[in-house]
Amino acid sequence: MPENKASLFLRNPFCRAVIISKRPLMREGLQIVMKEKATESSQILLADYLDLSSEILDKVDVVMIELDSSQQEFIEQCEYLNHLKSKSRHVRWIFIVPAHLRNIAVERLLTAKTSLLSLHEPMSSIIEHVFNNVGDVERISKYLLQEQVAQPSITDTVKTNLTFSECRVLRLISKGWKLVQIATLLEKNYKTVSAQKKSAMRRLALKTDAEMYAWIFSDRGKRELSIPPYNQGI
């Protein structure tokens, strides 16, 4: 019996995985455990799923993403992630989501090559999903199914001031990307990206680039755009 469990646990010991989480301990802890279980495996660690590129997706078998956001932002995230999924059909996807977003995740993310796990999922269960095909494990974790859905807070029910696309452009600008580079990265027209930047500035009542940069690196800007230290909680 133990032997069968072990063979299932390491169905793909050469697994190449991307681990995406805002929490450093999650990323680094999962990498350490994966290396302990299978030294042949490899990992790419990212703090933001916006850093996930086509070049990275071409080189991996599994993408594990931890998502914890407001309902409105999550819906917009699903649209972007489904776009990535459509371009990399060989990749298996593991989404770790909170209970209050479970039903939306089932509706918008669950496919034949997708698993949904809980934010409170045991490390052993996450590892099992990473190393095994979707058919060998639960597509929806029992831990996620058993969790009680918490009542949404006020911040979850109020739509954020900026749209997902506007936040994405400002976040990339904060990393030093120019609009032409952002357009290439997102496979968008330059005018579209420029319009999203201008739209964000109008929403925030900002008139110059200097004011925009000041807002981006203010406490409020960092919080809304999930720029460190706000996106590096343990």
Side-chain angles (χ1 to χ4, degrees), residues 48-52 73 76-84 162-175 177 179 182-183 185-188 192-193 196-197 200 215-216 224-227:
D48 194 326
Y49 70 92
L50 293 176
D51 294 328
L52 190 59
E73 184 180 3
E76 294 171 333
Q77 288 172 339
C78 289
E79 181 180 347
Y80 179 69
L81 291 168
N82 282 328
H83 170 68
L84 291 180
L162 296 173
T163 68
F164 169 71
S165 296
E166 291 165 352
C167 280
R168 182 171 56 186
V169 169
L170 292 186
R171 198 178 309 171
L172 289 169
I173 288 175
S174 77
K175 296 180 179 181
W177 290 67
L179 293 186
I182 295 173
L185 174 70
L186 301 180
E187 299 180 346
K188 300 279 188 183
T192 300
V193 174
Q196 289 169 345
K197 174 196 167 188
W215 181 87
I216 286 175
E224 288 199 22
L225 300 178
S226 296
I227 295 173

Side-chain angles (χ1 to χ4, degrees), residues 13 15-19 27 30-36 38-46 60 130-131:
C15 175
R16 302 169 300 171
V18 179
I19 302 168
R27 300 192 302 267
L30 191 53
Q31 181 184 43
I32 291 171
V33 176
M34 284 186 67
K35 280 297 185 183
E36 288 177 348
T39 56
E40 304 92 342
S41 65
S42 62
Q43 301 81 35
I44 297 173
L45 308 184
L46 300 176
V60 300
V130 170
F131 280 112

